[in-house]
Amino acid sequence: MLEKNWSGTYVYGASRIHTPRTVDEVRDIVASGDRVRALGTRHSFSSLADSPGSLVDLRRIEPVPELDRDAMTVTVSAGVRYGELAAFLQGNGCALHNLGSLPHICVAGACATATHGSGDRNRCLAASVAGIEIVTGGGELVSASRVDSEFAGMVVALGALGIVTRVTLDIEPTYDVRQDSYVDLEWPALDEHLDAVMGSAYSVSMFTDWRERIDRVWLKTRLDGEPFEPPVDVFGARPQPPEQWATLISDDPNLTPRGGSPGPWSERLPHFRLDSTPSNGDEIQSEYFVDRRHAVEAIRAVREVGADLEPVLMIGELRTVAADTMWLSPAYGRDSLALHFTWRNDPREVTRAVAALEAALAPFDARPHWGKVFAIQGGSLARLYDRLDDFRALAERLDPSGQFRNAYVDRLVFGAG
Ligand SMILES: Cc1cc2nc3c(=O)[nH]c(=O)nc-3n(C[C@H](O)[C@H](O)[C@H](O)COP(=O)(O)OP(=O)(O)OC[C@H]3O[C@@H](n4cnc5c(N)ncnc54)[C@H](O)[C@@H]3O)c2cc1C
């Protein structure tokens, strides 16, 4: 088949990709009993989405968004991309609580891996899922919502429970955001003021190559109609002069507007514009979540192995994610610092760098991002997730014949091999 993921770094082994137009067609595909898994917009960096049988891509199913202004929810087909949903919501005076760095990913694919943005009080995107419809083993269509006791295991599910066809998300009234960029935050200032820096806006991202200092601090400030003056400096980091907006992560035109101009949440919370290429493209990514209580030490530990990362590192990013209760969420039960690494597309060097990184972060029980590249194996992962046994039991109930299993899920969730 030779279909690849977004970055071209993984070739799917599945024999074919179905592109159904209706949920009934999805049910028929699953009812055949063959091994099958859902494929999102292919932005994960590993074999996670792959299937030893076939894949199902929902992009041809119409989104059909339904707003419920009393419940303040929107219900939409699961294959819709966040950017498209955001435009619909904004057009109707509504908003989501947060977005990831790219609006190109689909809702079900992003939620399946606990994709997140940043913000001390912002949980990952899956936390706003209030209900789902999912085609489970044998083709049964199951609905579940927050009132169900196992719902906390059903949204961040790595595609292992079935094919999510429709999702209901919490919404809120629309709001404006502005982005301000600062340069050169020195390590000692970060050590001393990390909480204050991360708390200085609704969503804060810091970029660094882990050498001299934090190169950029991006503050995404939620305006909510209040007058706002951006800080003169962020603990010594000074406003980035407009002529230096050429960035560390992408060509400038690919990015959402910075420089303080207010705009809708949908056009400021993501780093990248929907109509452009997110990030570099020829790259691999890794990311680890540590408890906020260990954030300063974890950052120090990564700096100490900076020389091991340097040959293959393009850029690092630090964000915060609020704790949630979803069984497989890397922020389960812990307010977290997320340490992200964009690598050059050099798998051998990435393997070396990831080994050094994981050794440095091991004392902090770092949980890897499910959709990115990591080396931690099933046994160690099991120790990091208290509810993994519950998730396995749920998977065995909803998928008794293992239709939605693949090598990744067998190894990392079921600890096989
Ligand atoms: C440039 C770039 C920037 C990124 N930025 C961020 C970021 O800011 N924050 C972050 O946390 N991550 C980020 N990621 C990672 C990305 O958000 C995750 O890997 C996400 O899961 C990708 O979603 P997708 O739609 O491409 O799904 P895929 O990668 O195609 O699939 C991911 C998983 O979702 C499952 N899945 C997909 N659709 C369904 C469905 N309908 N039902 C059930 N399961 C389904 C698949 O089976 C698979 O297990 C980034 C990735 C890239 C390439």
Side-chain angles (χ1 to χ4, degrees), residues 178-215:
R178 58 177 281 164
Q179 296 193 77
D180 295 280
S181 179
Y182 293 79
V183 293
D184 298 343
L185 178 65
E186 302 298 334
W187 293 123
L190 187 69
D191 279 359
E192 201 176 334
H193 303 291
L194 177 69
D195 285 345
V197 173
M198 296 317 273
S200 60
Y202 183 68
S203 165
V204 176
S205 282
M206 298 192 288
F207 297 92
T208 179
D209 61 9
W210 295 100
R211 284 182 294 186
E212 305 287 314
R213 57 182 68 83
I214 296 284
D215 301 287

Side-chain angles (χ1 to χ4, degrees), residues 2 23 44 63 68 96 104 173-174 187 239 266 288 300 347 367 379:
L2 293 184
V23 173
S44 295
D68 181 337
L96 298 168
H104 307 67
T174 187
W187 293 123
S266 49
Y288 298 88
R300 256 191 229 129
R367 295 175 180 151

